[in-house]
């Protein structure tokens, strides 16, 4: 980040940092079972999931570009069927949710 003078590297690192914090807080909740831990684990897990999904779709995949000639996609498409890209967006979101959002017991 400092050598390349590119702040986007720091934002990308923030995505991983939020994921690590969310996992640590979820672990703390699983050990301590307090309502405070549960709430903060959900908050950080949600933030990590939203930020990670947005970053993956917009910056890594180059999707959700409003002013592209392919509405909501990037200008240059490798696959001619636009539905493949929209399917990938949904698949990526579901994968991130399963990876990040904690499963909290009902007790």
């Amino acid at each position: 980040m400092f050598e390349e003078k590119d702040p986007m590297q720091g934002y990308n690192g923030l995505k991983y940092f939020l994921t690590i914090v969310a996992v640590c807080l979820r672990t703390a909740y699983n050990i301590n079972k307090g309502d405070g831990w549960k709430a903060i684990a959900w908050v950080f897990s949600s933030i990590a999931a939203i930020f990670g999904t947005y970053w993956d779709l917009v910056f890594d995949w180059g999707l959700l570009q409003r002013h592209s000639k392919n509405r909501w996609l990037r200008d240059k498409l490798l696959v001619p069927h636009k539905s493949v890209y929209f399917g990938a967006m949904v698949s990526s979101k579901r994968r991130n949710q399963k990876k990040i959002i904690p499963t909290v017991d009902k007790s």
Side-chain angles (χ1 to χ4, degrees):
M1 178 172 91
F2 296 110
E3 293 174 3
E4 296 176 15
K5 305 219 183 314
D6 183 9
M8 296 305 279
Q9 297 294 330
Y11 296 132
N12 190 29
L14 179 62
K15 175 179 76 167
Y16 294 105
F17 176 74
L18 288 172
T19 301
I20 291 167
V21 170
V23 169
C24 290
L25 290 170
R26 187 170 57 196
T27 302
Y29 166 70
N30 286 334
I31 292 169
N32 297 320
K33 299 288 186 198
D35 287 338
W37 286 111
K38 180 179 180 179
I40 198 164
W42 269 101
V43 167
F44 270 87
S45 293
S46 298
I47 291 170
I50 291 166
F51 187 82
T53 299
Y54 179 80
W55 186 273
D56 288 345
L57 293 176
V58 174
F59 293 104
D60 289 346
W61 288 52
L63 303 177
L64 298 177
Q65 305 298 318
R66 289 172 55 190
H67 302 293
S68 172
K69 66 181 180 181
N70 298 304
R71 186 76 172 170
W72 298 113
L73 302 174
R74 56 184 164 212
D75 285 332
K76 185 177 180 182
L77 300 177
L78 299 176
V79 179
H81 304 289
K82 294 179 183 179
S83 61
V84 171
Y85 291 92
F86 291 110
M89 283 188 233
V90 171
S91 174
S92 177
K93 174 130 177 73
R94 293 194 75 208
R95 185 192 77 238
N96 279 345
Q97 283 179 337
K98 288 181 180 181
K99 181 172 62 174
I100 300 296
I101 300 294
T103 305
V104 180
D105 61 357
K106 306 276 191 236
S107 58

